[in-house]
Amino acid sequence: MFKPSRMILLAAAVALGAGCAVQNPYVRDDGEMRKSTTYGTIGAVAGAAIGAATSSKKDRTKGALIGAAVGGAAGGGYGYYVDQQEAELRRSMQGTGVEVQRNGDDLKLIMPGNITFATNSADIAGNFYAPLNNLANSFKQYDQNSIEIVGHTDNVGAYQYNMTLSQRRAQSVANYLTAQGVNGMRISTRGMGPDQPVASNASESGRAQNRRVEINLRPL
């Protein structure tokens, strides 16, 4: 009688052992293992199950091993995918004032207010179109992650006004990206107003840092 659990575990172990030799090792700053390892494990087990189930009785072991290898490679590939996307974004954003940060397999783009919008306005500044065009091209090329656009303000002025302004700015960026051909189904927007400062609002330099737009890229 076919014992899938035993066969699947064996196949997954073999596939993961092989995958460890070729994966691009990336460890998060907090020491956690990269997410591609998790994806690879899930992919390997799922692939082994499918490979075993779709093979003839005498070839089930071979089918499980092949399925685990293919599934593990596909599942673990997102870490490598982000490596390539990060490198491309750092190249295209160089000299624009846009900061690229990475945490595990998540990417964050930080766009300070001095290059994005005029004071009290949600109209995109003229010098910000070139970076946004580069971002749109990148997002169309790398289309395997969601795009969350978040607007932030300092704490000067009425709270509700800042909340509305931050949402309008996030939506302006989203509208421009979709107009350049980025799939709108991948995009979401939020306005955080002054609720998530990254610096003290007691100084002008701190307030300038807090006036920003962030784009978070995560696996779909």
Side-chain angles (χ1 to χ4, degrees):
M1 183 178 178
F2 172 51
K3 300 291 186 181
S5 59
R6 187 174 172 187
M7 188 177 300
I8 290 168
L9 290 174
L10 173 61
V14 172
L16 289 174
C20 290
V22 297
Q23 276 188 1
N24 190 358
Y26 178 86
V27 180
R28 286 171 38 173
D29 292 339
D30 58 10
E32 290 187 20
M33 189 177 299
R34 62 179 297 161
K35 290 182 180 178
S36 59
T37 302
T38 301
Y39 301 148
T41 303
I42 295 170
V45 174
I50 294 170
T54 57
S55 301
S56 63
K57 185 174 181 179
K58 68 177 182 179
D59 290 330
R60 279 175 178 163
T61 300
K62 180 179 179 181
L65 288 169
I66 294 172
V70 172
Y78 189 79
Y80 177 76
Y81 177 92
V82 177
D83 291 342
Q84 305 307 303
Q85 186 178 24
E86 178 189 13
E88 195 278 331
L89 284 171
R90 291 189 183 280
R91 179 196 60 77
S92 63
M93 293 297 104
Q94 189 173 12
T96 65
V98 177
E99 180 182 354
V100 181
Q101 293 183 353
R102 179 168 177 173
N103 181 21
D105 284 339
D106 295 341
L107 293 173
K108 175 178 289 188
L109 301 162
I110 302 175
M111 296 163 281
N114 65 314
I115 67 168
T116 53
F117 299 96
T119 302
N120 294 329
S121 173
D123 295 332
I124 294 172
N127 63 339
F128 191 44
Y129 284 114
L132 280 181
N133 288 336
N134 289 339
L135 284 179
N137 290 332
S138 176
F139 294 161
K140 287 185 289 185
Q141 179 183 0
Y142 293 90
D143 59 358
Q144 298 303 305
N145 34 38
S146 62
I147 304 168
E148 181 191 42
I149 305 171
V150 187
H152 301 269
T153 69
D154 58 30
N155 68 348
V156 176
Y159 178 82
Q160 190 55 51
Y161 176 83
N162 283 328
M163 291 295 292
T164 302
L165 178 62
S166 64
Q167 176 63 45
R168 288 170 55 213
R169 287 177 168 179
Q171 192 61 52
S172 289
V173 173
N175 292 344
Y176 188 81
L177 291 175
T178 55
Q180 303 310 304
V182 179
N183 184 355
M185 298 295 292
R186 298 169 57 198
I187 299 176
S188 62
T189 62
R190 282 194 299 157
M192 297 304 300
D195 288 347
Q196 293 184 350
V198 293
S200 171
N201 280 305
S203 67
E204 175 51 39
S205 62
R207 291 191 295 272
Q209 293 180 62
N210 293 331
R211 297 190 296 267
R212 68 197 190 279
V213 174
E214 296 180 350
I215 297 181
N216 299 311
L217 304 175
R218 302 186 179 96
L220 282 172

